[in-house]
Amino acid sequence: MEQTPWLKDFLVFLAGAGLVVPLFYRARIGAVLGFLMVGVAVGPYGLVLFADRFPWLRYLTIEDRERVEPFAELGVIFLLFLIGIEMSVGRLWSLRRFVFGLGALQFLLAAVAIGMLLRLVGATGSVAVVLGLCLAMSSTAVVMQLLEEQGRGATQLGRVAISVLLFQDLMVAPVLFGVQFLGRGSAHIALDLAYALLQAAVAVAVILLAGRFLLRPLFRFTAHTGSRELIMAITLLTVIGLALTTGYVGFSTALGAFLAGLLLSETEYRHQVEIDLAPFKGLLIGLFFISVGMTIDVRMVWDQIGAVLTAVAVLFAVKALILLIAGRMLGVSRPIAIEVAILLAQAGEFAFVVIGLGRSTGIVPADMAQFATVVVSISMLATPVFAAGGRWLGHRMERREHAADMPAADDAEHADHVVIGGFGRVGQMLARLLEAENVPYVALDNNGALVAEQRKAGRKVFFGDAGRPEFLQRAGADRARAFVATVNTPRAAERMVAAAREQRPDVPVYARAVDAEHAARLLELGAVNVIPEAAEASLQLGARVLEGLGLPDEAVDRRIADMREQELGRLMQLRAEAAS
C-alpha cells in the first residue's frame, strides 16, 4: 500500500493533463497556462485548504510536493533540451540581423532596466541581477503557440519575434552559469558574469566539436542497426549524461540538458529525435509547469494583489517600451515593432528555472521567489489578451501608414472583375491565372509590406481587411463578377465569405478551406464552391501516382473527377447536417 500515494498523485496529474488542460486549449488559452492552473488547484495552497470541510478533496490534490519533484526535474531537463535542439547555427545565421541585433539589444536593456528597478525597491545586488536576467526573457511556449494558431510564423512579425526568442534561448547557458557563480557568494558580480560568459562560449565550442567528432559517428553507428529504440537510448544517454555531468561539476543539470540539445541540433538525427520524443515531451514539460503552479500560494496573491498586479503592469510596460525602441532602431516598421513589443512583453517559462535555482542556492529569498513566480505566471496568463490588443493596435497603425495603398472610396475603375481576399501564395497563383486569361481582379491583403511590393510590380493589390464590408465595397463589390477567399486563417475566410454574401448575394463566392469541417462552415455561410487544401493536394498526388503506375490519362482524369465529386458530396452532406 506504500505505492498508493504515488499512484493517486499520478492519477491526479493524468486527470489534469487529459481533462482540464484540453479545456484551456479549446478556450485558446494554451496548455502551458492550463498546466499552471492545474498545479495551483491540486497543490498544497489550492483545493486541499478546504479538505477539512470536504475530505473527498484530498483525492483530487497532491499534498506532498516532494513526491513530484523528481519528475518535475525531468520536465526541466527536457524543456531545456528541447530549447537547445530547436536551435542551430544555420537558423541563427539566417536571422542574424534580428537575432544578434534586436535580440541582443532587447535582452541587455531589459535586464539592466529590470535590475535597476529591483534595486530601487530594495532588492540586493545578486537578487536584482538574477531576476533582471530571467525576467528579460519572454515565453517561447506561449508566443509560439499564438503565432502557430494565427498562422503568422512565416510572416515578418513571426520572423522578428522568433529572432528575439532565439537570442533569449541562446542566453540560457550564460544565465545558468551566472546564477551558479553568484550562488558561490563572490563579491565580484561583474567579474563573475564576465567569466560565466567566457566559460559558456568555451563550453559551446567544445560541444560543437564533440558533436562533429564523437556524437555524430556514434549516432551513425547506432542508426545502421535500424532500431529506433537504440537511437532513443543514445539520445537519453546524451541528455541525462550531460545533465549529470554539469551537475557533478557544480553547475545546473538544466544547463547540461540545454547543451545536449544544442549538440544534437548539429546532427542529421535531430528530426528523428524530435519525432520520437513528441509523445512524451508534453507530459514531462507539463509536470514541470504543474510543479511550478504548486508553489503559488493563492492566499499570498490575494493579500498582495495590488503589488502583484503593479509588478506585472511595470514588467509589461518596461519590456514593451524597450522592445519598441530596439525594434525601431533596427529598422522594424512601426506596426510590427508595436505588435512584437506587446507580444513579447511577458516573462517566460525559463524564469521558473532560474528562480528555482536562485532559491535553492540561497540567492533569492523564499518570499521574493514566491512573489516573482506569481508575477511570471500572471504575465504569461495575460499574454493572449495583451497580444490581441497589440494585434489590433498594430493593424490600426498599419492602416494609417498604408492609407495610400487602400482602395479609394469612389473608385469606379473596377468593374466586371474578381475580388481576391488574401494575396499570399494561393492568391498570387490565382492572380497569374486571371492575368493569363485577361480577367481583371482586385486583391486585398492585411500585410502592408506585401501590398507595397506587389503594387510596385504593377498589380492591383490594396491594403485592407477582406472580411470587412467597407473594404469589399471599396474594392468594387457592387460591380464584381466573383469573390475568392484565399486568406490563410479559417476565421478570416469565414468573415470574408459572410461579408461577400451580405454585399452581393447574387454573385458566386469561392473559397479555400483548411479541412473538411472548415469547408462545411464556408458552404453554410454561402460559398458556392470550396476547395479543401488537404483533399485537393491528395487528389493531385494520387493522380501523379496513378500516372506513374502506367494508367491511361483518361482513366486517371475520370477517377480523380469521381473522387472530387464524392468529396464535394460529402461536404454538402456535412453542410446539410450542420444546417439541421
Side-chain angles (χ1 to χ4, degrees), residues 76-426:
V76 175
I77 287 174
F78 277 93
L79 173 65
L80 272 296
F81 171 70
L82 291 169
I83 289 176
I85 203 171
E86 290 173 359
M87 189 182 302
S88 67
V89 175
R91 191 179 186 192
L92 289 172
W93 185 251
S94 67
L95 297 171
R96 58 190 178 278
R97 176 168 171 265
F98 291 128
V99 172
F100 299 105
L102 177 57
L105 189 60
Q106 177 274 331
F107 180 78
L108 177 63
L109 293 179
V112 170
I114 295 171
M116 291 177 62
L117 287 175
L118 288 169
R119 287 289 286 161
L120 288 176
V121 298
T124 64
S126 297
V127 171
V129 170
V130 171
L131 294 184
L133 288 172
C134 70
L135 294 179
M137 297 186 178
S138 307
S139 175
T140 300
V142 174
V143 172
M144 291 303 295
Q145 174 198 327
L146 290 173
L147 291 175
E148 182 179 350
E149 288 177 353
Q150 298 170 4
R152 307 176 74 192
T155 64
Q156 179 70 1
L157 169 80
R159 288 193 295 271
V160 173
I162 290 171
S163 298
V164 175
L165 293 173
L166 278 174
F167 185 85
Q168 293 175 358
D169 291 343
L170 194 62
M171 288 295 100
V172 166
V175 170
L176 288 174
F177 268 121
V179 175
Q180 290 287 326
F181 273 107
L182 290 174
R184 297 175 182 177
S186 173
H188 304 289
I189 295 176
L191 184 61
D192 282 347
L193 287 177
Y195 185 55
L197 286 171
L198 177 61
Q199 278 200 307
V202 172
V204 170
V206 170
I207 283 173
L208 291 177
L209 289 174
R212 178 174 295 274
F213 295 110
L214 296 177
L215 194 64
R216 185 170 291 157
L218 180 60
F219 265 86
R220 189 176 294 119
F221 174 76
T222 306
H224 286 162
T225 66
S227 172
R228 295 174 62 181
E229 291 80 3
L230 292 180
I231 294 177
M232 181 51 57
I234 293 296
T235 300
L236 294 177
L237 174 64
T238 304
V239 177
I240 304 300
L242 272 179
L244 290 176
T245 300
T246 53
Y248 180 77
V249 298
F251 295 109
S252 169
T253 55
L255 173 62
F258 171 78
L259 298 179
L262 191 63
L263 191 156
L264 285 175
S265 72
E266 293 303 312
T267 71
E268 61 268 34
Y269 304 99
R270 58 174 296 187
H271 299 297
Q272 180 67 55
V273 171
E274 287 180 302
I275 291 171
D276 288 341
L277 279 177
F280 309 103
K281 68 179 182 181
L283 288 177
L284 289 171
I285 294 173
L287 268 174
F288 164 63
F289 286 116
I290 284 181
S291 69
V292 171
M294 292 174 66
T295 65
I296 299 176
D297 189 341
V298 179
R299 296 168 299 180
M300 186 279 289
V301 176
W302 182 255
D303 292 340
Q304 304 184 40
I305 188 65
V308 169
L309 294 180
T310 300
V312 172
V314 171
L315 177 67
F316 267 96
V318 169
K319 291 187 68 175
L321 181 60
I322 289 172
L323 275 162
L324 177 60
I325 294 174
R328 294 296 292 154
M329 289 175 62
L330 269 292
V332 180
S333 67
R334 187 178 289 107
I336 292 178
I338 290 174
E339 191 170 352
V340 168
I342 297 175
L343 182 65
L344 300 178
Q346 78 290 123
E349 53 276 356
F350 182 64
F352 296 133
V353 180
V354 176
I355 292 169
L357 183 60
R359 183 174 181 175
S360 65
T361 55
I363 301 175
V364 183
D367 56 342
M368 180 71 76
Q370 173 70 233
F371 187 87
T373 299
V374 170
V375 169
V376 173
S377 302
I378 293 179
S379 73
M380 292 172 66
L381 190 64
T383 296
V385 177
F386 279 95
R391 189 174 186 182
W392 175 83
L393 187 60
H395 281 326
R396 287 290 298 263
M397 186 64 65
E398 195 168 27
R399 285 182 58 187
R400 182 177 300 177
E401 288 198 351
H402 292 276
D405 295 331
M406 292 184 183
D410 56 349
D411 191 352
E413 175 188 354
H414 311 308
D416 201 30
H417 60 291
V418 176
V419 177
I420 303 174
F423 209 68
R425 172 179 52 85
V426 178

Side-chain angles (χ1 to χ4, degrees), residues 25-96:
Y25 188 82
R26 288 182 65 86
R28 299 185 181 274
I29 297 176
V32 170
L33 303 181
F35 279 120
L36 284 172
M37 298 304 294
V38 169
V40 172
V42 305
Y45 307 111
L47 296 175
V48 74
L49 298 176
F50 303 97
D52 292 337
R53 294 182 57 187
F54 307 100
W56 55 270
L57 286 175
R58 297 187 187 277
Y59 296 101
L60 303 177
T61 59
I62 301 174
E63 299 176 55
D64 187 359
R65 186 176 181 272
E66 293 182 359
R67 286 202 295 261
V68 301
E69 282 186 347
F71 300 101
E73 181 72 12
L74 279 177
V76 175
I77 287 174
F78 277 93
L79 173 65
L80 272 296
F81 171 70
L82 291 169
I83 289 176
I85 203 171
E86 290 173 359
M87 189 182 302
S88 67
V89 175
R91 191 179 186 192
L92 289 172
W93 185 251
S94 67
L95 297 171
R96 58 190 178 278

